[in-house]
Amino acid sequence: MFNNLPIRLKVMGIVVILLLLMIFASGVSIKYISSVKSELSQIARGLVPITEKLGEIDVHVLEQELLLEKVFTYFELEPLPEAKINRHLREIDALRNRTQAEFDDASQIAREALNRATSEAHIIAFTRAEMLLKILRMSYLNLHKNSMEIIKLLKEGEHEKALILESWLIEEEDEFNANSIGFLAEIASVTEDSVLAAENHQETLLVLNWATTILAVTFGLFASALVSARMTRPLLNLINASKKTANGDLETAAVVETGDEIGRMADQYNRMVDGIRQKERIKATFGQFVDPRIVNSIISNYDLDQANRQPVTVFFSDIAGFSRISEQFTPSSMVRLVNEYLSLVSGPISHRQGIIDKFIGDAVVAFWSPPFVQTAEGAEMCCLAALEQQHQIELFRTKVSDILGLRKDLPDINVRMGIATSDCVVGNIGSTHSKSFTAIGPATEWAEDLETLNKKYNTEILALQPTVELVKGKMEFRRLDKLKVNDETSFSVYELLGAAGTVETGKINYRNHFEGALDLLEAGEVQEATKQFLACRELNPNDGAVDLHLKKLGIVR
């Protein structure tokens, strides 16, 4: 109960006991108590709220930057997704209004704190805070203005001008971030100075109390020493904790011993350090897998220690006949070849907001899931990344000669890919000393099985029915067969042909012919299905899926 009383009441309890003996000393004690309260009040009512507002401004600016990146990306798509662009522009406008409101609130807090300030240090600090807020607001307004100008240029088709402005925009983003970090550093410095000032006043009060207890009764001496110690220890603990944090120790924490102003300040300090520590953990976990903009977008709302079950699209790829290829060349040559290959195929995955789960030799495992992308968008991004990788692999084949230092007997590089979607457990999984952000579930096994099935169908990219249903209308597929994933469930297997609107008419016609034959077979019309499959063989003698179905029908080449 006593620990939860405000500081003023604790000290006044001692003053009442000592009032008859030390009227003069009590008056001096009250003076220093007011000084302590003033320092703590400036922190609680001025510095901490301004810091919180700056944090909210940073979050809103980061959200706007992420939305702008999405808008810029949409202008590279055909056809142009105007609905998405307009929706994001409305979201950006709403965030701008919220950011402006946060700037207004922070400026109002600074003005009110300046009106309350009694010390020269606080008057200077809050005057400078008002000035820095104006500078930061101007930097933000310039950033938003140039962002809108880039979007205007993109709408007008002025992509070269937009690209030039985008490079300037990056510099302005860096300038804004630098100003924000500098401002926060100044606020932190003023906060520490205020705490130190409060400690100095408190130490002076401690000396006066000891002088008073010489003339006081034993109870007065005991009460004074007890209360003074309980007030000083949390302050010293908080200062030591802040020094450790300043030196990079984010595991330190201030001990919250009381429920008074100092205890509440220590609790707020611990929350601040916990937030910083959580951000650093997220950056350390995701920084090597995804674009930093994606990391920043989840810093404020993703719990690393919380595993989630959610729909995940998994990608698995492998170089065909890699073991045979590796036996033909020296270890150093193979390392160069694999490193170059993995660097090349990783780009489309990261560019499409995917997470590279792991490399298994030449195999690549990646996945798409919230909070990075929504379920349907993740499936689409995975398909686009697979198509882009196949294009990159065509370019990679032209580089193999230079990588291996050979002009003949070059290996034939072909990559098979599998894509599957299912509910998976997503989280930071591993041992105490080694963890990774990964997905565990049926889709990981299905994607690997599909990669292997490519050899059977003589295809490059296979996808399972749940993925195909998510991207219906956005991708072109060819239904090949059925895959039994467990004792009770079977899914259709599809070959990914390309993005909608980009596949040649001849391939679409052949796809329709093949699927017509497959429909006949599944309907039990064996004779007509056989006839149609033989017609498909005439059109495409290398179609492994046709050979497979004809073999089931008893017709072998």
Side-chain angles (χ1 to χ4, degrees):
M1 181 67 179
F2 180 75
N3 286 338
N4 294 328
L5 292 175
I7 294 174
R8 180 174 58 86
L9 294 180
K10 293 178 180 178
V11 178
M12 286 301 296
I14 299 175
V15 173
V16 171
I17 297 175
L18 302 176
L19 186 60
L20 295 175
L21 298 174
M22 298 293 291
I23 297 295
F24 173 76
S26 298
V28 175
S29 297
I30 293 173
K31 174 181 179 297
Y32 279 100
I33 292 169
S34 298
S35 298
V36 173
K37 181 182 177 182
S38 176
E39 294 290 344
L40 297 176
S41 176
Q42 290 291 13
I43 294 173
R45 300 174 62 188
L47 297 174
V48 171
I50 289 176
T51 302
E52 291 176 349
K53 292 296 179 183
L54 285 174
E56 294 173 0
I57 289 171
D58 280 342
V59 170
H60 294 157
V61 172
L62 286 172
E63 291 175 343
Q64 292 178 63
E65 291 175 359
L66 179 61
L67 288 172
L68 282 170
E69 287 297 331
K70 286 188 175 182
V71 172
F72 294 162
T73 302
Y74 288 150
F75 277 100
E76 298 174 3
L77 301 178
E78 290 293 341
L80 191 67
E82 293 183 356
K84 288 186 177 180
I85 291 173
N86 291 333
R87 187 181 77 248
H88 287 329
L89 288 178
R90 289 193 297 271
E91 293 174 355
I92 290 171
D93 190 62
L95 286 171
R96 179 185 68 81
N97 293 335
R98 291 170 63 186
T99 304
Q100 287 281 59
E102 298 297 348
F103 272 118
D104 292 339
D105 292 344
S107 298
Q108 180 65 25
I109 292 170
R111 285 192 294 270
E112 292 176 355
L114 180 60
N115 293 334
R116 292 194 305 270
T118 56
S119 67
E120 181 180 357
H122 285 155
I123 292 173
I124 293 173
F126 288 115
T127 300
R128 180 162 176 76
E130 279 195 287
M131 180 187 69
L132 291 175
L133 280 169
K134 291 179 181 179
I135 294 173
L136 196 61
R137 185 197 287 260
M138 289 300 299
S139 177
Y140 166 73
L141 291 176
N142 287 335
L143 183 65
H144 181 77
K145 177 182 177 183
N146 289 334
S147 299
M148 295 300 101
E149 183 65 23
I150 291 173
I151 293 173
K152 179 181 177 183
L153 290 172
L154 289 172
K155 288 182 176 180
E156 295 173 353
E158 299 287 347
H159 292 276
E160 292 183 0
K161 292 182 180 180
L163 187 60
I164 293 173
L165 279 181
E166 190 170 351
S167 64
W168 294 352
L169 182 65
I170 293 173
E171 294 178 1
E172 290 178 349
E173 289 175 353
D174 293 339
E175 179 184 356
F176 178 87
N177 291 332
N179 289 338
S180 178
I181 292 171
F183 194 0
L184 286 171
E186 288 198 20
I187 294 294
S189 177
V190 173
T191 302
E192 185 173 356
D193 290 342
S194 297
V195 174
L196 289 172
E199 181 198 5
N200 290 334
H201 293 316
Q202 182 59 41
E203 289 176 348
T204 303
L205 176 61
L206 181 62
V207 172
L208 289 173
N209 284 338
W210 275 108
T212 303
T213 56
I214 295 175
L215 302 174
V217 293
T218 302
F219 175 80
L221 177 63
F222 174 78
S224 176
L226 177 63
V227 173
S228 297
R230 288 189 175 182
M231 291 174 63
T232 303
R233 186 170 60 250
L235 281 173
L236 292 174
N237 178 271
L238 182 58
I239 291 171
N240 291 332
S242 66
K243 288 180 179 179
K244 290 180 180 180
T245 302
N247 292 329
D249 182 6
L250 297 179
E251 299 300 323
T252 188
V255 178
V256 181
E257 299 181 350
T258 64
D260 57 18
E261 293 90 342
I262 299 175
R264 293 196 295 272
M265 184 170 62
D267 182 63
Q268 289 296 325
Y269 170 83
N270 289 338
R271 294 185 182 185
M272 178 190 72
V273 173
D274 184 64
I276 295 173
R277 182 166 56 244
Q278 184 75 348
K279 292 178 182 179
E280 293 300 320
R281 290 180 60 200
I282 292 175
K283 287 183 178 180
T285 299
F286 294 117
Q288 59 182 319
F289 300 118
V290 296
D291 189 287
R293 290 166 295 184
I294 301 176
V295 177
N296 291 332
S297 75
I298 64 170
I299 276 178
S300 300
N301 56 20
Y302 198 87
D303 186 356
L304 275 177
D305 296 323
Q306 180 67 43
N308 299 286
R309 182 176 295 278
Q310 55 200 26
V312 177
T313 297
V314 179
F315 169 89
F316 188 95
S317 69
D318 198 13
I319 297 176
F322 181 76
S323 298
R324 174 181 49 80
I325 294 173
S326 63
E327 293 173 355
Q328 300 174 8
F329 303 100
T330 63
S332 59
S333 297
M334 288 309 302
V335 168
R336 289 197 305 272
L337 184 71
V338 172
N339 286 344
E340 185 71 23
Y341 163 74
L342 293 177
S343 298
L344 200 66
V345 299
S346 297
I349 296 174
S350 299
H351 177 66
R352 296 293 180 179
Q353 302 182 17
I355 300 175
I356 298 177
D357 189 350
K358 61 179 74 73
F359 298 123
I360 309 173
D362 62 303
V364 179
V365 183
F367 66 92
W368 282 255
S369 74
F372 305 101
V373 291
Q374 296 305 310
T375 303
E377 183 185 10
E380 181 184 0
M381 292 295 103
C382 181
C383 291
L384 290 173
L387 292 170
E388 290 175 16
Q389 286 183 72
Q390 288 294 348
H391 176 69
Q392 293 293 333
I393 290 164
E394 291 180 9
L395 300 177
F396 178 70
R397 293 189 185 102
T398 65
K399 301 178 181 180
V400 172
S401 176
D402 294 333
I403 296 172
L404 296 177
L406 299 174
R407 293 293 177 268
K408 60 180 181 178
D409 298 328
L410 296 175
D412 186 16
I413 303 297
N414 292 292
V415 179
R416 299 189 290 250
M417 303 175 181
I419 300 172
T421 303
S422 75
D423 283 346
C424 295
V425 175
V426 179
N428 208 23
I429 298 171
S431 67
T432 304
H433 303 291
S434 178
K435 294 184 178 181
S436 64
F437 190 76
T438 188
I440 299 176
T444 58
E445 299 177 6
W446 298 346
E448 186 174 355
D449 292 341
L450 290 172
E451 181 277 323
T452 304
L453 280 176
N454 278 289
K455 182 177 180 181
K456 184 178 179 181
Y457 297 119
N458 194 24
T459 52
E460 292 181 340
I461 308 173
L462 291 180
L464 212 54
Q465 183 177 342
T467 305
V468 175
E469 291 174 351
L470 288 172
V471 297
K472 188 175 182 180
K474 298 180 179 179
M475 296 288 154
E476 294 289 354
F477 294 92
R478 177 169 67 123
R479 187 165 62 92
L480 299 179
D481 207 343
K482 289 279 189 179
L483 176 65
K484 191 172 184 179
V485 296
N486 56 46
D487 293 338
E488 301 177 353
T489 307
S490 295
F491 289 128
S492 294
V493 177
Y494 292 81
E495 177 188 12
L496 175 59
L497 302 178
T502 65
V503 183
E504 299 173 0
T505 303
K507 285 187 177 180
I508 295 296
N509 293 336
Y510 180 79
R511 184 271 309 273
N512 295 338
H513 196 166
F514 177 89
E515 290 186 351
L518 189 59
D519 290 339
L520 290 170
L521 179 62
E522 291 174 347
E525 299 182 25
V526 176
Q527 185 176 356
E528 185 61 27
T530 303
K531 180 180 176 181
Q532 294 298 324
F533 278 128
L534 288 172
C536 288
R537 176 182 284 178
E538 290 293 327
L539 294 172
N540 185 5
N542 296 321
D543 190 344
V546 170
D547 290 340
L548 183 65
H549 286 299
L550 286 174
K551 185 177 180 180
K552 291 178 181 179
L553 293 169
I555 299 176
V556 183
R557 285 182 182 271

